[in-house]
Amino acid sequence: MTAVASKCRVCRQPAIIDLPRHNANFCGEHLLQLCRRQVEKAIADHDMLSPDDRVLVAVSGGKDSLAVWDILIDLGYRADGLYLGLGIGDYSDESAGYARRFADERGLILRMLDLRDEHGYDVPTAAQVTHRVPCSACGLSKRHLFDQAAREGGYDVVVTGHNLDDEAAVLFGNTLRWDVQYLARQLPVLPAGDGFPKKVKPLVRLTEREMAAWCIVRGIDYQVEECPMAAGNKHLAYKAALNAIERDSPGSKAAFYLNFVERMAPLLSGAEHSGADGLRPCSVCGSPTTGEICAFCRLKERVAGQPRVPVEVLLSKKRRTATAGGV
Amino acid sequence: MTAVASKCRVCRQPAIIDLPRHNANFCGEHLLQLCRRQVEKAIADHDMLSPDDRVLVAVSGGKDSLAVWDILIDLGYRADGLYLGLGIGDYSDESAGYARRFADERGLILRMLDLRDEHGYDVPTAAQVTHRVPCSACGLSKRHLFDQAAREGGYDVVVTGHNLDDEAAVLFGNTLRWDVQYLARQLPVLPAGDGFPKKVKPLVRLTEREMAAWCIVRGIDYQVEECPMAAGNKHLAYKAALNAIERDSPGSKAAFYLNFVERMAPLLSGAEHSGADGLRPCSVCGSPTTGEICAFCRLKERVAGQPRVPVEVLLSKKRRTATAGGV
């Protein structure tokens, strides 16, 4: 967000941001208005939230989750936060600090869980033991524990801070493989059912850059670093490819995601194959699962109690692999 | 295609090309074998050609159209060529020369048509008069005249040299907009019907680079330059985006296109809306059309006889626009 020698589309005061896809510039106040309205539109278009819902926000300490929490409170929703400590070294410690300060300064309820304290493992150790990318164990753990917390806490809906850039990149990945089952499920709302809470993404009409601007204008301090575990993953390559297209043709990214939701997703309904037919309670934790023991409990059983792998060890291994792969 | 200090996967002789998506290197002979087999597989999988078909190849003088013609003759098909002069300055003159020499050296039948000689216009002039991108008038003219030539010449099928890179880039463009009607029609075969000939793309399993290698190994001289009218178009930006993904994950491009054809296209059948219901003969040329006069005859009526616009004039205008847009 650089100073732009131009005027706000709404009030003609000096602008603080240019948004090529809207072919316009905005001052701080009217950027906030635009963000609020886009969130309201997403909520209304997809029937995401009701005024009486008890909302649980998945909080990472980054710009998106703090912004969506802030916007929902601003719009009058009853929203608590849940932070999950993933054990990714200093990155996790700092992220927790941002989340904690945000909540405390605003008198909001933030519950904090920690993978290692409560389940005996962390993301770097899980990645090392399972020989899979860290994002795999991380995503599985987050989904499971946010679902569980919503169920046990009596929340009606889990909110995540996925923005337009995130959703477009995931959509691009699924489209590159034409993974029809994943495509059919990639919607801004996953309805409740079979013991799973409703999950919604109110930021799907807003970009990373707009969310960063929201935080700056609102004085929200957030974790600016990307997760060190994510470096070099395909998701970032997909974002880069879409960003190149967006630079040439502003609006392409929003059209890609929003036209998918509007035009394509309806043609795929029925292809989801949720597998909900065979769900039963996990014999360890009681969460709905298709097997005897759910994927989270199987991961935990395999990884908990294994010698701890510091994040630096995993990162230096990753760098060696990347270098070898680049030859 | 640089010399690779490695061996052919098949015969262990020195390789001339590495193909990361096959995770292998090939000598000249076995590269040709791979290309032939991929064309045979495309023809068989999609029921493109029968041994008795009379085939008309749309020949541009570039690597793809000369290679597909060469491969079809090599595989024993009866294939004549048709070259259409588009009036794009030296580029068209040189392209015609490559096509002519290829046919003459092999004793093949190549018919040559010229837009200006026979229809009184050329692509640069059409672009200038219609205020549309040159590719628009070019595509319309080629589709119409190849269809007409096939009909009048008694050909069973029109072959074009679209390769995997071309098809993946067009698919990417249609996917970015989720243009469901275009997506539903983007198949390696368009069946005959309503007065239109069958159209097939036997190179959909092979890349640009493989086609260039085919031509080099076979001693085929071809027009290496890209069409000057195409510079800066979106198609090239889509190719660049997919090439970046392919570099990171070899095989992504083939998976993107071939999985679409296999998994997604069947879900879209019925969305084509060919508009064939209301077809009747064009009152000028007799080609099937939904209106009184077909799009080609309307273009010709508007453009033929207008002062000729040299390609250089259009290109310098294009450069000025690009520079202005870059500020």
Side-chain angles (χ1 to χ4, degrees):
Chain A
M1 191 171 50
T2 52
V4 181
S6 53
K7 293 181 174 169
C8 173
R9 173 201 270 181
V10 184
C11 68
R12 315 309 298 165
Q13 294 298 305
I16 60 151
I17 190 169
D18 66 308
L19 298 182
R21 104 189 128 103
H22 294 292
N23 194 25
N25 308 297
F26 293 92
C27 72
E29 184 190 332
H30 290 112
L31 172 80
L32 299 186
Q33 183 189 67
L34 179 143
C35 292
R36 274 187 215 103
R37 286 182 178 172
Q38 294 291 340
V39 169
E40 287 177 315
K41 179 162 171 52
I43 291 173
D45 283 356
H46 303 289
D47 199 13
M48 289 184 175
L49 300 174
S50 301
D52 295 336
D53 278 345
R54 285 195 63 217
V55 175
L56 183 65
V57 180
V59 175
S60 71
K63 63 189 183 315
D64 303 305
S65 61
L66 296 182
V68 74
W69 196 5
D70 191 41
I71 294 171
L72 291 182
I73 294 293
D74 200 43
L75 293 175
Y77 290 96
R78 298 189 301 161
D80 299 340
L82 173 59
Y83 174 88
L84 178 60
L86 301 161
I88 305 176
D90 294 343
Y91 174 78
S92 285
D93 298 339
E94 289 165 18
S95 299
Y98 287 111
R100 184 78 272 161
R101 284 189 294 279
F102 175 89
D104 289 350
E105 285 167 12
R106 288 160 184 77
L108 299 173
I109 297 172
L110 175 67
R111 189 170 159 212
M112 306 197 74
L113 291 178
D114 187 86
L115 266 188
R116 177 153 292 280
D117 292 349
E118 322 217 4
H119 299 284
Y121 73 93
D122 54 48
V123 165
T125 305
Q128 175 91 325
V129 173
T130 60
H131 305 292
R132 299 193 59 183
V133 290
C135 305
S136 169
C138 181
L140 168 60
S141 305
K142 286 195 284 197
R143 278 190 302 276
H144 180 86
L145 293 170
F146 284 113
D147 285 355
Q148 192 177 54
R151 220 167 27 237
E152 294 176 1
Y155 291 95
D156 300 293
V157 54
V158 173
V159 160
T160 58
H162 295 96
N163 59 39
L164 176 59
D165 296 85
D166 297 322
E167 293 301 290
V170 172
L171 177 61
F172 187 31
N174 289 332
T175 303
L176 279 175
R177 293 179 295 274
W178 292 101
D179 196 324
V180 176
Q181 285 190 32
Y182 279 105
L183 284 171
R185 287 170 54 88
Q186 210 199 331
L187 292 170
V189 172
L190 275 180
D194 306 311
F196 294 105
K198 180 177 182 179
K199 279 177 257 190
V200 307
K201 300 170 183 171
L203 300 186
V204 289
R205 303 184 63 88
L206 290 163
T207 65
E208 286 188 357
R209 191 160 160 269
E210 287 149 15
M211 290 300 90
W214 172 279
C215 288
I216 292 169
V217 174
R218 293 277 289 174
I220 297 171
D221 230 13
Y222 61 89
Q223 169 65 281
V224 173
E225 301 300 316
E226 288 276 353
C227 173
M229 302 273 90
N233 75 7
K234 288 188 179 182
H235 190 69
L236 294 178
Y238 299 152
K239 281 193 174 176
L242 289 174
N243 286 343
I245 301 287
E246 178 73 13
R247 267 194 301 279
D248 282 353
S249 305
S252 298
K253 198 187 286 177
F256 175 56
Y257 177 71
L258 298 172
N259 287 347
F260 169 80
V261 172
E262 188 180 323
R263 298 180 192 169
M264 194 67 201
L267 300 180
L268 300 177
S269 70
E272 305 94 318
H273 256 308
S274 72
D277 292 349
L279 287 181
R280 54 176 175 170
C282 168
S283 63
V284 179
C285 74
S287 297
T289 175
T290 51
E292 164 77 17
I293 299 179
C294 76
F296 175 81
C297 288
R298 278 184 279 133
L299 175 69
K300 182 173 162 177
E301 190 180 327
R302 187 167 169 200
V303 180
Q306 294 288 326
R308 184 176 194 152
V309 179
V311 61
E312 294 74 17
V313 170
L314 209 67
L315 286 176
S316 74
K317 183 177 145 198
K318 202 165 174 176
R319 269 192 298 273
R320 286 198 306 278
T321 315
T323 312
V327 168
Chain B
M1 192 169 53
T2 51
V4 181
S6 53
K7 294 181 174 171
C8 173
R9 171 200 272 181
V10 184
C11 67
R12 315 308 299 165
Q13 294 299 303
I16 60 152
I17 190 170
D18 65 308
L19 297 183
R21 103 190 129 101
H22 295 291
N23 194 23
N25 307 298
F26 294 91
C27 72
E29 184 191 330
H30 290 113
L31 172 79
L32 299 186
Q33 183 190 68
L34 178 143
C35 291
R36 273 188 215 101
R37 286 181 177 171
Q38 293 291 341
V39 169
E40 286 176 315
K41 179 162 171 51
I43 291 173
D45 283 355
H46 304 289
D47 198 13
M48 288 183 178
L49 300 173
S50 301
D52 295 334
D53 277 344
R54 286 196 61 218
V55 175
L56 182 65
V57 180
V59 175
S60 71
K63 62 189 183 318
D64 303 304
S65 61
L66 296 181
V68 74
W69 196 4
D70 191 42
I71 295 172
L72 291 181
I73 294 294
D74 200 44
L75 293 174
Y77 290 96
R78 299 189 301 162
D80 300 338
L82 173 59
Y83 174 87
L84 178 61
L86 301 162
I88 304 175
D90 293 345
Y91 174 79
S92 285
D93 297 340
E94 289 165 18
S95 300
Y98 288 110
R100 183 79 270 161
R101 284 189 295 278
F102 175 89
D104 289 350
E105 285 166 13
R106 287 157 183 81
L108 298 173
I109 295 172
L110 175 66
R111 190 170 158 214
M112 305 197 75
L113 291 178
D114 188 84
L115 265 189
R116 177 153 290 283
D117 293 349
E118 322 217 3
H119 299 283
Y121 73 93
D122 53 48
V123 165
T125 305
Q128 175 90 328
V129 172
T130 59
H131 306 291
R132 299 192 59 184
V133 291
C135 305
S136 168
C138 182
L140 169 61
S141 305
K142 286 195 284 199
R143 279 191 301 276
H144 179 87
L145 294 169
F146 285 113
D147 285 355
Q148 191 177 55
R151 220 164 30 233
E152 294 176 1
Y155 290 96
D156 299 293
V157 54
V158 172
V159 160
T160 58
H162 294 97
N163 60 40
L164 176 59
D165 296 86
D166 297 323
E167 293 301 290
V170 172
L171 177 60
F172 186 31
N174 289 332
T175 303
L176 279 176
R177 292 180 295 273
W178 294 100
D179 196 325
V180 176
Q181 286 192 28
Y182 278 105
L183 284 171
R185 288 169 55 89
Q186 211 198 330
L187 294 168
V189 172
L190 274 180
D194 306 310
F196 294 105
K198 182 176 182 180
K199 279 177 260 191
V200 308
K201 300 170 182 172
L203 300 186
V204 289
R205 302 183 64 87
L206 291 162
T207 64
E208 287 189 356
R209 191 160 160 269
E210 287 150 16
M211 290 301 90
W214 173 278
C215 288
I216 291 168
V217 175
R218 293 278 288 173
I220 297 171
D221 231 15
Y222 61 89
Q223 169 65 282
V224 174
E225 302 299 318
E226 287 276 356
C227 173
M229 303 274 87
N233 75 9
K234 288 187 178 182
H235 190 69
L236 295 178
Y238 299 153
K239 282 192 173 176
L242 290 173
N243 286 343
I245 302 286
E246 178 74 12
R247 269 193 300 278
D248 282 353
S249 306
S252 298
K253 199 187 288 179
F256 176 56
Y257 177 71
L258 298 172
N259 287 347
F260 169 80
V261 171
E262 188 181 322
R263 298 180 193 169
M264 193 68 201
L267 300 180
L268 300 178
S269 70
E272 305 95 318
H273 258 306
S274 70
D277 292 348
L279 287 180
R280 53 175 175 169
C282 167
S283 63
V284 178
C285 74
S287 295
T289 176
T290 51
E292 164 76 18
I293 300 178
C294 76
F296 175 79
C297 288
R298 277 183 280 134
L299 175 69
K300 182 172 162 178
E301 190 180 326
R302 187 167 167 199
V303 180
Q306 294 288 326
R308 184 173 194 155
V309 178
V311 62
E312 294 75 16
V313 170
L314 209 66
L315 286 176
S316 73
K317 185 179 143 196
K318 204 166 172 176
R319 271 193 298 273
R320 284 198 307 277
T321 314
T323 313
V327 170

